[in-house]
Amino acid sequence: MTDRRKFLKGAGMAGVAAGASALAAPAVHAQSKIKWRMQTYAGPALAEHVIKPAIDSFNKVAGDEMEIELFFADQLVPTGELFRAMQKGTIDAVQSDDDSMASPTEVTVFGGYFPFASRYSLDVPVLFNQYGLGEIWDSEYSKVGVKWLSAGAWDPCHFATKDPIRSLEDMKGKRVFTFPTAGRFLTQFGVIPVTLPWEDIEVAVQTGELDGIAWSGITEDYTVGWADVTNYFLTNNISGAWAGSFFANMDRYNELPDHLKELLKLTMDSSHYYRQWWYWGGEAHLRTKGTKMELTSIPDEEWAQVEAAAVKFWDEIAAESETKAKVVQIFKDYNATMEKAGRPYRYG
């Protein structure tokens, strides 16, 4: 009987302790799903290639932990207001170039198509990952409370026009939809840059508000419908690859657990890789097999004037600030290396 009392007493005390422990432990709740809103610079047809496959993959892998809702060009805010909206937290992430979304940074001018900064799409990731542009971009965006995530290449910049361009003289007076910095450069050749919402471009060409487009390569011209309203494609380009990036609201990014940050990185790498082969193959295929636009060219000796003007333009930009001068010097060093390396990096 004594032993039984001791047992019951011990069991009772253990039960009380267990109960007290249970009461003291915090309640465990299922973590709510993280939801981001991301807007791309691209319209629906183009986004099907440049961003949507990657985001679909991210959402599939993230499962119940996180979802990125994708919005297309100007769907939530105009492209020119993307930076401010992301900085304020109205949207959580952006895919765009610095130039189009009017970033208030020293590197904004180099986003999109900085004249002749690259010749091939592979130049862009090499410049960011091996020549120091990534560190500069990260620093510049951190100063304004935005997380720069990753940069990659898109297509080269060509003119698609209603009337043919076969000389520099033919460029004069052309009202062209293009990027801010590219437009600033092209004005010296008589081009009139025009800024319009992305989805209005096709109609603007049809109505005569625009004479052409210098916003992409031939792959996009076919993909988004511009090849249906323009007649000619100029094979000379002012840049070998558009440079764009992924960005995020700094606070929202910092809130992510490390494994979701890593998944986001893998997703962006996947997006960059898709564009590398999609554009590279698409440009060649549509130049040789496309039926909607006639190809025209400006003779090399005449086009050399444009390339020479780009070198002067670089120096003008470099004189504006120490950071810009640093970026321009990287471009110069890189291109000098490519020229010295020779084939297949550069051909004359």
Side-chain angles (χ1 to χ4, degrees):
M1 184 64 71
T2 300
D3 290 341
R4 186 167 176 267
R5 288 194 189 101
K6 288 180 180 179
F7 171 78
L8 291 173
K9 183 178 180 181
M13 292 302 292
V16 170
S21 176
L23 289 172
V28 178
H29 299 289
Q31 185 177 358
S32 58
K33 190 173 189 177
I34 299 169
K35 291 191 176 182
W36 273 18
R37 298 198 302 174
M38 172 185 282
Q39 184 169 311
T40 176
Y41 75 97
L46 183 59
E48 285 291 333
H49 293 279
V50 300
I51 181 63
K52 192 173 182 296
I55 297 303
D56 287 346
S57 294
F58 178 92
N59 290 335
K60 186 181 294 185
V61 176
D64 293 333
E65 290 190 79
M66 183 172 175
E67 178 184 0
I68 298 176
E69 188 176 6
L70 182 63
F71 295 88
F72 307 126
D74 306 313
Q75 198 169 355
L76 293 178
V77 297
T79 297
E81 298 175 16
L82 277 176
F83 177 86
R84 297 298 183 189
M86 174 173 51
Q87 189 182 43
K88 293 176 182 177
T90 305
I91 53 179
D92 306 298
V94 165
Q95 181 201 40
S96 178
D97 69 279
D98 320 70
D99 207 20
S100 295
M101 69 176 190
S103 301
T105 75
E106 289 292 318
V107 298
T108 296
V109 69
F110 303 109
Y113 291 119
F114 190 67
F116 299 98
S118 63
R119 184 171 296 190
Y120 307 120
S121 57
L122 275 175
D123 291 340
V124 175
V126 174
L127 281 162
F128 275 87
N129 294 308
Q130 294 185 349
Y131 278 73
L133 292 193
E135 289 81 358
I136 296 173
W137 259 246
D138 183 61
S139 174
E140 286 300 307
Y141 278 94
S142 294
K143 292 176 185 176
V144 291
V146 164
K147 179 63 178 176
W148 172 81
L149 294 170
S150 180
W154 275 251
D155 49 343
C157 183
H158 294 262
F159 282 82
T161 53
K162 295 169 74 173
D163 298 320
I165 296 178
R166 295 189 174 95
S167 68
L168 293 182
E169 185 66 26
D170 291 337
M171 294 171 66
K172 292 182 179 179
K174 291 284 192 296
R175 292 162 297 176
V176 174
F177 172 64
T178 189
F179 293 84
T181 299
R184 174 180 165 184
F185 172 70
L186 290 169
T187 54
Q188 64 187 292
F189 302 102
V191 173
I192 303 170
V194 179
T195 301
L196 290 170
W198 191 90
E199 290 191 347
D200 293 347
I201 303 310
E202 186 173 344
V203 173
V205 174
Q206 290 175 304
T207 61
E209 186 177 356
L210 287 174
D211 299 305
I213 302 156
W215 201 84
S216 69
I218 199 168
T219 308
E220 285 191 18
D221 291 334
Y222 273 77
T223 301
V224 306
W226 294 339
D228 297 324
V229 295
T230 55
N231 303 314
Y232 298 92
F233 179 85
L234 181 65
T235 60
N236 310 75
N237 61 58
I238 66 165
S239 178
W242 188 76
S245 295
F246 289 92
F247 308 85
N249 174 276
M250 184 71 79
D251 291 336
R252 294 307 307 275
Y253 178 78
N254 289 337
E255 290 168 1
L256 292 182
D258 287 343
H259 71 286
L260 288 180
K261 289 179 180 176
E262 192 67 20
L263 178 59
L264 187 60
K265 178 181 180 299
L266 294 171
T267 299
M268 293 182 294
D269 286 346
S270 171
S271 175
H272 295 326
Y273 175 66
Y274 183 111
R275 290 191 311 275
Q276 285 282 350
W277 61 259
W278 185 65
Y279 279 121
W280 188 255
E283 296 298 301
H285 174 75
L286 289 170
R287 282 194 188 200
T288 57
K289 300 293 197 297
T291 59
K292 293 182 179 180
M293 293 189 290
E294 179 183 336
L295 303 186
T296 64
S297 297
I298 296 175
D300 289 345
E301 58 273 16
E302 190 175 358
W303 190 249
Q305 297 176 43
V306 182
E307 295 182 347
V311 175
K312 293 181 180 179
F313 185 74
W314 286 17
D315 290 336
E316 291 172 13
I317 297 297
E320 294 177 356
S321 76
E322 184 178 341
T323 298
K324 290 177 181 177
K326 187 175 181 180
V327 174
V328 167
Q329 190 58 51
I330 287 174
F331 285 146
K332 289 182 176 181
D333 292 343
Y334 175 75
N335 279 281
T337 298
M338 295 296 106
E339 292 290 344
K340 188 175 181 180
R343 300 171 185 267
Y345 299 95
R346 293 291 185 266
Y347 291 82

